[in-house]
Structures are given as structure tokens and as C-alpha cells.
Amino acid sequence: MVNFKSRKDFAALRLHEKNAYLQEVADAFQVDAGEEPILLSKAALSRLRRFYSRRSFADLKLEEMPDGIMRDALVRMAEAIHGKELKKVLCAEMPATREEAPDGEPARQARGVEGEVIPPGRIIRLAPDDDAQLDFFVPQVHDAPLKDEMNLMDIAPFALSKVRRDGVIRYELKDSIITIEGGAESGLATSYDYDIFLSMVSYLAEEVRRFRIEESKGRRPSLPPPTYRPSATQILRFCRRGTGGKQYLALESALDRLQATRIKITNLSGGKRRETQSFPLIGRYTVISRTGQDHVDLVEIDVPKWVYDGVVQPDGKPTILTLNPDYFLIAQPIARFLYRLARKAAGSDTAHYTLEDLHYRSGSSLTPAKFRRKVEEIVERSQTEPLPDYDLTLTSGKRGPVLHMTRRVNERIEA
């Protein structure tokens, strides 16, 4: 029986030591299965190194591997590394059982952004089969990192729901009062609608990066225009979604909710109100062309002035932060909220919040007791299905449970 190294011990190994250790583990499992040992390929070793450090089945990219001895060996090793997690891979292809919806909605099958069935309790979904971000706008996705508006990361600027939610969400923080209000016909934008906002900000940030490079070479480039003109396929792939018919149908409704959702911020100073600003998540949008099935094909979105100024012409530093692209694979809205908050508050270190404070900042319609159970489930699940970048732990505090969000030391990605 193999005694697996801890993540910390594994991370301390050099690259060749990691490869040698993983090969030893693979040999042991092949022998245990009554089969001849196999030599792991360079690609298989790379996937296993990431999997060992992060415990995410998405890192194995099993959908890209043909059936055979190599795939079987990786599956056996992954199954043993964290128990019964292989069941989640299989469950991804099977209908989910009925469960309570993420934000206290009536019980139904849990479904993700594309209408795909997500197994109960899962917090990280598998990447789509055609997970090809590389043809977004630039040669490699790493050239256009995922960006979020930093000023909105202390709270959830969207409904933590996978179905329509009406009403107003109000946050009274130490330095500001923030109100999120949806449209009368469309309702509030959801955490999945917000993915389109993220793609817009990320595209704009990449255009600014290119502008700065050209400027540094002594050229006179034009500033990026305040418009975002992607195809529906580009949006879906950047957001790591499938490209089936349901996804295209849902896209236009998402744009409606984003345009109708307004954020109102009143800055406070010494307890007194100062400046108040009100702005939409996206500006006017126009469907430039449609497919033969009447799906959205090409769309043009006006970038709101508050977004454009924050990214292109900031008074100081740009008001954006880079997110892990695996953020798009987080399947539960509350888990998405926790990741964004961790990215802003913990950064490269650690941060902690009471569950009472988290419940307030989330804007969740769940009761405090149900919200607590949901966070406890996410923390427990994250031990084998970790969120990108951050480890979650719960401790007891004077005002109740406290959630600690700690930056994980990730393995350096080798070419």
C-alpha cells in the first residue's frame, strides 16, 4: 500500500523528484492491479503534479485522454489519492438527485450555467469537453488573465442564485452603503451572468496592456475604445462553458439582467454621507448578428464609464485584480462569493470573517442557520475538492464560527 506524501511534502520536492515519486506510485498501482508497470508520459506527469497539489480532477483532463492503460492508471491513482472522489467524475455524466437549491429556492435538480446537471454538493465542475480558451482574443489565455473589479469584491454584486431573484440587496459597510437593484422585468443579475462582466473587464485590461507595450516602444497607439465586441462563442469559451444551444439561448437573457442591474454606492466619511454614484454592470448592448437558429452570434457591449476609467484611465493604479481562470469552474454561487472575497481580502496571505459577517456580505436570502450549514458543507467539500488558490478552515470564535481563507502555495507550472 502506498503511503502518500502530504501536499506540503510533495511541494518541497524538486521537479525530477516529483516525477520519480509519481512514477513509483504509478508502478505500485499497476502491480497491485495485476498489470505491467507503464512509463508515464511527460503530459501525464504534468497533470498528476497539478492534481497532487490541488486535488482537482479537472487538472487530470481525463476527457482529453483516449481510453487505455495510461488513462486507467491515472484514474486508479487519483481515486486512491483522495478516496471516493472518482464518483464525482462519474456523477458528472449522470442525472443529479433532487436537492435544495443553492440560495434557498424550491428543491429541484441542481443545474449549472449551461443547464448541465451538477451532482449534489459539488463545488467544482468539470471543464467542458471543448475547453479551448486559447482562441479568445490572444494566442494564449495567460496573455489575457481573468480580471475583476476590485471595488466590488468585498460583497456579492449579484444574486447568489441560479434562478431569477427580484428585489434589492443592500450592504451597509464601514466606509460605504452599496445597493444592488435589478430590473422590474429581468430581475437581478446572477453570479453566472457576472461572468460576462468579467470577460469584458479582462478583454479591456488586455487591450490596455497592448497599448502600454506599443507606447513604450515610442509609437502612438490609440486608447482602446469603450466597446466590447465579442462573438457569443468567444464569451462562452472564455467563461469555460460549453457551446451547445442552451448556452446561446441563455446568453441574451443574461445580458438583459446585467444591463438592468444597477449598483448605487454612497461613500461615507466619519459617519456622514458624501458622494453617491449609480451605474449599471454593463452599458447598452446590441446583437449585431444572429445564427440560422436565431441564437446570438455577435454582440457589441458599451463599457460603462466607471469600468473604463478604472481600467484604462485610472487616477492611480487600475482597480482590478487577477482571478484564477478556474474561478469559472466553481459550481456554487456561495463558493464563488467566498473565492472573490478571499482574493480581495487574503491576497497572498490569509483573511478571516465570522459567518455572521459573511452572511451579511453575501446578500444571501438564506437564513443564518442555513447559510452556516452551506458554508460548512463547502469547507468540508473543499478538503477534497479545493477552491482555486485558497484553503478554507472553520474555527470557533467569540461571535460564532470564523472562516479562515489562506492562500495555498501552488506548484510552479513548468513548461
Side-chain angles (χ1 to χ4, degrees):
M1 187 65 182
V2 176
N3 292 319
F4 290 107
K5 295 181 181 294
S6 67
R7 277 191 255 185
K8 182 178 179 180
D9 290 341
F10 183 78
L13 298 176
R14 295 181 179 181
L15 176 59
H16 72 278
E17 293 173 329
K18 290 177 181 178
N19 289 344
Y21 169 70
L22 291 172
Q23 185 64 62
E24 288 178 8
V25 173
D27 292 345
F29 274 92
Q30 287 298 98
V31 172
D32 191 51
E35 298 177 0
E36 290 294 322
I38 60 170
L39 182 65
L40 294 175
S41 66
K42 183 178 179 180
L45 286 168
S46 177
R47 293 171 180 176
L48 276 173
R49 288 196 303 270
R50 286 181 60 81
F51 174 79
Y52 207 105
S53 298
R54 293 150 46 102
R55 303 295 202 265
S56 172
F57 263 87
D59 289 327
L60 290 178
K61 299 182 180 179
L62 295 174
E63 69 280 356
E64 297 180 7
M65 296 189 69
D67 292 335
I69 296 176
M70 184 77 72
R71 179 188 172 109
D72 291 343
L74 292 184
V75 168
R76 271 196 294 273
M77 290 173 64
E79 182 182 15
I81 287 171
H82 58 109
K84 299 180 180 179
E85 290 300 293
L86 181 61
K87 289 184 177 180
K88 292 183 290 187
V89 177
L90 301 177
C91 286
E93 304 301 325
M94 298 186 294
T97 57
R98 296 173 66 84
E99 66 165 5
E100 183 180 30
D103 203 30
E105 297 141 9
R108 68 189 72 214
Q109 281 190 332
R111 293 183 179 271
V113 289
E114 307 94 41
E116 87 278 16
V117 176
I118 295 176
R122 190 181 185 94
I123 59 174
I124 303 293
R125 66 180 175 86
L126 295 177
D129 291 339
D130 59 348
D131 189 29
Q133 296 176 311
L134 304 186
D135 61 351
F136 179 54
F137 287 105
V138 289
Q140 290 190 356
V141 69
H142 303 292
D143 292 334
L146 174 57
K147 302 287 185 180
D148 198 358
E149 170 53 48
M150 189 164 58
N151 295 323
L152 296 179
M153 294 176 71
D154 288 324
I155 49 91
F158 40 67
L160 297 184
S161 171
K162 293 181 180 178
V163 295
R164 173 171 174 148
R165 176 179 167 183
D166 296 319
V168 175
I169 304 175
R170 180 182 172 88
Y171 303 100
E172 295 188 11
L173 307 177
K174 289 182 179 181
D175 57 353
S176 63
I177 299 173
I178 304 176
T179 303
I180 317 293
E181 183 173 4
E185 295 184 5
S186 58
L188 288 158
T190 71
S191 64
Y192 300 106
D193 299 338
Y194 194 74
D195 289 355
I196 301 173
F197 174 87
L198 292 176
S199 72
M200 177 183 71
V201 174
S202 302
Y203 164 73
L204 189 61
E206 169 60 17
E207 290 297 291
V208 172
R209 187 186 72 85
R210 292 183 175 189
F211 169 83
R212 301 299 181 205
I213 291 174
E214 291 298 302
E215 194 176 42
S216 69
K217 294 178 179 178
R219 298 169 184 167
R220 296 184 178 180
S222 299
L223 283 170
T227 54
Y228 174 43
R229 191 167 178 165
S231 70
T233 301
Q234 287 170 329
I235 291 177
L236 294 173
R237 286 184 172 171
F238 186 81
C239 297
R240 305 189 73 177
R241 305 184 188 180
T243 52
K246 290 182 179 180
Q247 294 89 321
Y248 290 94
L249 288 172
L251 188 58
E252 194 164 355
S253 296
L255 290 168
D256 286 338
R257 288 189 292 270
L258 286 168
Q259 187 182 50
T261 297
R262 296 193 67 84
I263 299 175
K264 183 177 180 181
I265 299 179
T266 299
N267 294 317
L268 304 176
S269 176
K272 297 181 180 180
R273 299 192 177 199
R274 295 176 60 197
E275 181 183 36
T276 296
Q277 302 178 54
S278 178
F279 41 81
L281 283 173
I282 64 170
R284 174 194 61 87
Y285 81 86
T286 303
V287 177
I288 303 298
S289 62
R290 294 181 179 272
T291 66
Q293 292 75 36
D294 200 33
H295 296 160
V296 173
D297 179 34
L298 184 66
V299 64
E300 183 175 276
I301 302 172
D302 287 346
V303 179
K305 187 176 184 301
W306 68 276
V307 174
Y308 189 86
D309 289 347
V311 178
V312 179
Q313 296 177 319
D315 294 333
K317 294 182 179 180
T319 58
I320 53 177
L321 283 177
T322 301
L323 306 185
N324 190 311
D326 285 349
Y327 167 83
F328 289 130
L329 301 181
I330 300 176
Q332 295 188 22
I334 291 178
R336 284 177 161 224
F337 159 71
L338 294 177
Y339 173 81
R340 293 178 68 251
L341 184 61
R343 180 66 186 89
K344 168 69 181 296
S348 59
D349 195 6
T350 186
H352 60 272
Y353 291 87
T354 65
L355 289 199
E356 179 183 6
D357 193 11
L358 285 176
H359 181 245
Y360 183 77
R361 288 175 178 271
S362 73
S364 174
S365 61
L366 289 175
T367 64
K370 287 186 176 181
F371 182 83
R372 173 177 173 171
R373 287 198 296 271
K374 195 67 182 176
V375 173
E376 288 173 342
E377 291 171 4
I378 290 172
V379 171
E380 181 179 2
R381 190 82 174 197
S382 71
Q383 304 311 302
T384 55
E385 197 177 331
L387 290 182
D389 304 325
Y390 295 93
D391 288 326
L392 305 179
T393 55
L394 278 170
T395 62
S396 298
K398 293 182 179 179
R399 294 170 49 201
V402 177
L403 180 69
H404 297 263
M405 301 172 286
T406 304
R407 178 79 181 196
R408 193 162 51 246
V409 179
N410 289 326
E411 174 192 13
R412 182 174 64 86
I413 300 175
E414 296 85 11

